[in-house]
Amino acid sequence: MLRRDLDLLGRRAHDVVVVGGGIHGAAVAWEAAARGLSVGLVEAGDFGGGASWNSLKTIHGGLRHLQRLDIAGLRESARERRALLTIAPGLVRPLGMLALASGRGRTGRRALGIALAATELLSRDGARGVATPLPRGRTLAEAEVLAEVPGLLAAPEGGALWWDAQVESSERLVLGFLHAAADAGAVVANRVEATELLRDHEGVVQGVVARDVLTGARLELRAAVVVNAAGPAFARLLGPPGLRTPKLCAARAVNLVLRRPITREVAIGARTGGRFLFAVPWRGRTIVGTGYGPETTAAPELAAAFLADARRAFPWAGIEKDDVALVHDGLVPARGAPDRPLTRSRLVDHDAEDNVPGLLTIVAAKFTTARAIAEQAVDLVAERLERPPVPSRTATTPLPEARLLDGPLREGVRFAVQKEMALSLEDVVLRRLDLGTAGEPSGEDVGAVASVLAHEFGWDLARIGAEQAALAAFYAARRVA
Ligand SMILES: Cc1cc2nc3c(=O)[nH]c(=O)nc-3n(C[C@H](O)[C@H](O)[C@H](O)COP(=O)(O)OP(=O)(O)OC[C@H]3O[C@@H](n4cnc5c(N)ncnc54)[C@H](O)[C@@H]3O)c2cc1C
């Protein structure tokens, strides 16, 4: 159960304080707690409400890394795909990926076949031990491609099919990690923003100063090590003490959630403008991703440009603006230019890089590998604490609460409030019950949730109106211009 105990957060001297409750922060909290460390975690907004909410939901194996000849990245992704299939089988499932072949170069059928064989060979250890082993990848003739893709009239060069995985609900997976962490003793709180690092006279980091967003109260969280897992905002904590930030820029990334399926069971990849776009089947709908642009471009404008790309990549699908139920909008780190997103996450040890002990920063590139980065981070924490090494068990220990909240709506809302720290209508609709993750839910459903929340929190009509207006504003900002 997640309990917002700010008194304990401030009172306890933690081994680790984690800043940020996205997939990385949640995975670090569980990794550290599972190894017997005392953990505090603060999230400025709501758990899983940042970049993690906006993921295309694909858990990548290694094929993309092979294209860059990044063999370590390939193996890491394949291992993490296996880990997530093992620890969260209720949320993470195998997903077929079909790329249409084109030309004779790297995206020709022959080259794709060779790439699949090489990926499988190199990631063999990432395929072992999965309860349902993933089928082998293979090339497909035109007729087989046409059978998979409704509406496609010709695929003269065939295609390639391989198996990755998909997380049905990225926000529920974040909560799954947090539940496991809290059950192992971590103290986690949303609506608490870390405002600055606490450092001693020698510059050693000793915790963070934080602000309770609900009351404005100041808190001090003491820790032997701070793990900065603030996602796209990672540099904000580093700027004031003048720590070096990795030389990266932020790119805006968008996906389009379509109201209708444009593929049957497998995701379809097609190339346009030098990039592969994927149309991913999800809950009877489709998510098309991912488009990148400058951080300063507003999401509706970037989504409009990306819609044009998607129409070029999947001309047979007839995608129209009206098909778009929701735009995913998040920031990701990029190398110099927005169309060069970072492909592997980085863990920065500020002791080694800046001579500032007690601080680690995660520069996150992928949802897929969050658990692996968390394991590396906690290895460093344990080293700093000079604790006897405790082996990690998070790649194989199931997360009991990594599941959808099914059942009657009223019970789900109560569970979200009483056991999962939901504090607003948005928390429940967008990040606990999955009512609004595929587009705006019906007024009737929103009203039903609001009335249970009003009862739980004693909200008056003005408060209910404000909560509903905030939810409507969220969807208004996530449309195609
Ligand atoms: C459109 C899009 C599609 C993507 N698709 C995929 C995909 O298919 N597969 C994949 O593997 N990856 C994908 N990614 C990348 C992936 O989503 C991110 O790498 C990952 O979610 C980052 O997780 P995080 O925990 O580091 O960041 P976040 O989820 O952003 O979490 C950071 C949290 O820190 C909080 N925070 C910030 N500052 C503070 C502070 N001072 N105090 C307290 N809390 C703070 C924020 O509120 C936030 O909740 C995609 C990303 C985008 C945007």
Side-chain angles (χ1 to χ4, degrees), residues 98 100 143-154 260-268 279 281 286 314-318:
L98 193 166
L100 300 178
E144 292 174 292
V145 173
L146 298 184
E148 287 292 349
V149 189
L152 184 64
L153 296 177
R260 63 185 172 93
I262 65 168
T263 83
R264 286 209 176 90
E265 285 173 5
V266 300
I268 313 290
T286 311
F314 310 107
W316 40 268

Side-chain angles (χ1 to χ4, degrees), residues 26-53:
V28 171
W30 165 225
E31 181 72 44
R35 291 204 221 172
L37 303 180
S38 67
V39 183
L41 178 146
V42 290
E43 160 56 50
D46 187 29
F47 306 123
S52 299
W53 196 82

Side-chain angles (χ1 to χ4, degrees), residues 78-116:
R79 273 196 308 272
E80 291 313 305
R81 181 182 60 191
R82 174 181 61 179
L84 290 175
L85 283 164
T86 307
I87 65 175
L91 288 180
V92 181
R93 300 195 187 97
L95 173 71
M97 314 284 287
L98 193 166
L100 300 178
S102 64
R104 291 184 178 279
R106 284 199 312 175
T107 50
R109 188 159 130 201
R110 198 176 136 77
L112 286 172
I114 294 170
L116 286 184

Side-chain angles (χ1 to χ4, degrees), residues 19-25 42-60 192-195 229-233 236-237 253-255 290-292 328-332 345 362 364-369:
V19 176
I23 191 69
H24 284 87
V42 290
E43 160 56 50
D46 187 29
F47 306 123
S52 299
W53 196 82
N54 298 281
S55 153
L56 185 60
K57 310 198 190 304
T58 49
I59 301 301
H60 308 290
V192 176
E193 182 188 12
T195 51
R236 274 192 223 146
L237 270 187
V254 292
N255 296 324
T290 293
Y292 298 94
H328 285 158
D329 164 28
L331 296 179
V332 294
S345 305
I362 294 172
K366 290 286 162 205
F367 192 95
T368 302
T369 48

Side-chain angles (χ1 to χ4, degrees), residues 114-175:
I114 294 170
L116 286 184
T119 307
E120 247 155 61
L121 190 71
L122 291 166
S123 56
R124 258 193 311 207
D125 61 335
R128 280 194 205 116
V130 182
T132 325
L134 299 176
R136 294 179 78 86
R138 61 193 179 92
T139 55
L140 303 182
E142 179 175 26
E144 292 174 292
V145 173
L146 298 184
E148 287 292 349
V149 189
L152 184 64
L153 296 177
E157 305 183 42
L161 175 68
W162 71 94
W163 292 82
D164 276 342
Q166 178 179 45
V167 53
E168 183 174 356
S169 164
S170 37
E171 39 291 325
R172 294 293 325 169
L173 186 56
V174 171
L175 286 164

